[in-house]
Amino acid sequence: MSDLEDDDIERDEEPTADEDLRDETEATRIAEALVFASAQPVSEGFIADRLPRAFDVHAIMLRLQEQYAHRGVNLIKVDDAWAFRTAADLSFVIRRDENEVRKLSRAALEVLAIIAYHQPVTRAEIEDIRGVQTSRGTLDVLMEAGWVRFRGRRRTPGRPVTLGTTRDFLDHFGLEELRDLPGLEELKGAGLLSGRIPANFNIPSPLMSDELTEDEDPITQMDLEELGLLAPGGASDE
């Protein structure tokens, strides 16, 4: 076979620009379908694993986000994942009276705010900030809502459990990441802070990573049993 014929075969095997465009269009449709079919935010890694070949998933999702920017539903980024959500200006149209979420008590809201801004934080530290004891029922409500989780155990006497927020917390409150939490001026503008707060008052910056800090140990199966999250022997306590 001549060198010319070899070159022709190699050129025939290379995908054309039209083929690349069709492949990327199909990859976009797959990504769109995966997010649409999921009630929970979908990670880019999950999408990439289901595409026919390697694509820049982040670029695909950004293009999809732009396409949905002015529609009734928007594609939003939640932490490191993506989800379709009703456009913010149309949320009043959506009524879910039969599934109305129970309103949080003032104590639960205070605890949730402290965990969001101070995480990783222990129950004792929450009580020190609030100046009152925190009931187990208050934390149970936040965990049942899926907004708060156990992170690890602090490397201090008693090894207290550390608490942090979840991806569902970000999703519910329309936050892409924790740095989107309102700052001091935003809280003042919303009337959530008194105008007579101390001059040196600052809003803490929450930890942006889910990775354990140097003074945290991972939670083990034994810890879960001790906390009542697993029955002895590792079976779920359901």
Side-chain angles (χ1 to χ4, degrees):
M1 184 179 293
S2 68
D3 291 341
L4 181 59
E5 290 174 335
D6 288 340
D7 290 343
D8 288 339
I9 291 174
E10 290 177 2
R11 282 196 294 270
D12 289 342
E13 291 176 349
E14 294 176 357
T16 65
D18 286 343
E19 288 172 337
D20 281 340
L21 181 59
R22 284 197 298 270
D23 287 349
E24 187 165 331
T25 299
E26 185 65 13
T28 302
R29 293 179 66 238
I30 292 172
E32 182 180 25
L34 289 170
V35 178
F36 181 82
S38 175
Q40 301 297 323
V42 179
S43 70
E44 292 182 4
F46 180 89
I47 295 170
D49 288 343
R50 283 151 182 80
L51 297 183
R53 62 181 179 86
F55 286 93
D56 185 343
V57 176
H58 187 67
I60 287 175
M61 301 312 293
L62 289 178
R63 284 195 294 272
L64 267 177
Q65 185 180 46
E66 185 176 352
Q67 292 172 21
Y68 278 90
H70 303 292
R71 298 188 183 181
V73 293
N74 298 153
L75 181 63
I76 64 170
K77 193 169 186 289
V78 182
D79 197 10
D80 60 348
W82 295 86
F84 281 115
R85 295 292 180 261
T86 304
D89 61 328
L90 297 179
S91 59
F92 71 93
V93 178
I94 307 301
R95 301 181 185 275
R96 296 183 178 176
D97 297 334
E98 67 279 8
N99 295 321
E100 186 176 356
V101 177
R102 179 176 52 179
K103 290 184 179 179
L104 294 180
S105 66
R106 179 173 178 175
L109 285 172
E110 289 177 357
V111 171
L112 180 60
I114 291 170
I115 293 173
Y117 282 97
H118 291 265
Q119 58 187 302
V121 62
T122 67
R123 181 172 171 176
E125 290 166 344
I126 293 171
E127 292 175 346
D128 185 53
I129 293 169
R130 293 186 67 218
V132 295
Q133 287 189 335
T134 299
S135 71
R136 177 58 189 262
T138 298
L139 288 174
D140 286 344
V141 167
L142 297 176
M143 289 191 170
E144 287 170 5
W147 297 341
V148 169
R149 65 183 177 90
F150 293 129
R151 284 178 47 94
R153 304 203 79 159
R154 187 69 53 78
R155 293 178 183 172
T156 55
R159 299 185 65 244
V161 174
T162 55
L163 300 161
T165 53
T166 65
R167 179 185 290 170
D168 284 346
F169 166 80
L170 296 176
D171 190 17
H172 181 85
F173 290 97
L175 305 172
E176 181 175 324
E177 53 190 358
L178 286 172
R179 65 166 51 93
D180 294 328
L181 284 166
L184 181 60
E185 295 305 317
E186 292 172 295
L187 292 173
K188 283 183 180 177
L192 298 176
L193 287 178
S194 167
R196 294 179 294 179
I197 59 175
N200 61 347
F201 180 82
N202 290 308
I203 298 294
S205 298
L207 185 71
M208 295 300 170
S209 173
D210 284 339
E211 295 182 5
L212 297 177
T213 59
E214 292 183 357
D215 66 345
E216 286 181 290
D217 286 323
I219 291 182
T220 65
Q221 179 173 308
M222 186 177 298
D223 292 325
L224 294 176
E225 293 177 4
E226 179 185 330
L227 295 167
L229 300 181
L230 284 182
S236 296
D237 187 12
E238 297 179 347

